[in-house]
Amino acid sequence: MITCHVKYVIDPYQLAEFEAYAKAWLGIVERLGGTHHGYFLPSEGASNIAYCLFSFPSLADYESYRHIAMTDPESAALVDSLLQKKFIVSYERTFLRPLLA
């Protein structure tokens, strides 16, 4: 299993737009074979940092998801919305290997 951890720097004045974007990705990741562990939005502290975690059975499965997501109408519409509204300033993606009990 491979888990992707994403740290987002978001526009805090567009938190509602980011939240709608995040909710939509929850279903897309699940539909395309992954397990989404959720988004974690600003609460106390920094108002412009958000995180998400999602897993795929392997790195190859993640790469397949990325390829399919580029042509998937729902995910393409989300990316278009992001490019127009610019509610994500930047992001960092890290791949982790879970250690489970």
Side-chain angles (χ1 to χ4, degrees), residues 10-79:
I10 62 172
D11 178 346
Y13 300 104
Q14 296 191 69
L15 183 57
E17 286 83 356
F18 179 79
E19 189 169 343
Y21 173 87
K23 283 181 182 178
W25 276 108
L26 292 169
I28 292 170
V29 168
E30 295 284 336
R31 178 170 53 82
L32 297 180
T35 301
H36 212 299
H37 308 293
Y39 281 83
F40 303 86
L41 306 179
S43 179
E44 296 295 321
S47 64
N48 68 333
I49 303 296
Y51 300 94
C52 86
L53 289 162
F54 57 93
S55 298
F56 281 87
S58 68
L59 187 55
D61 290 316
Y62 169 77
E63 292 297 334
S64 176
Y65 148 80
R66 293 270 299 172
H67 179 73
I68 294 167
M70 287 191 301
T71 58
D72 177 77
E74 187 180 2
S75 59
L78 288 171
V79 171

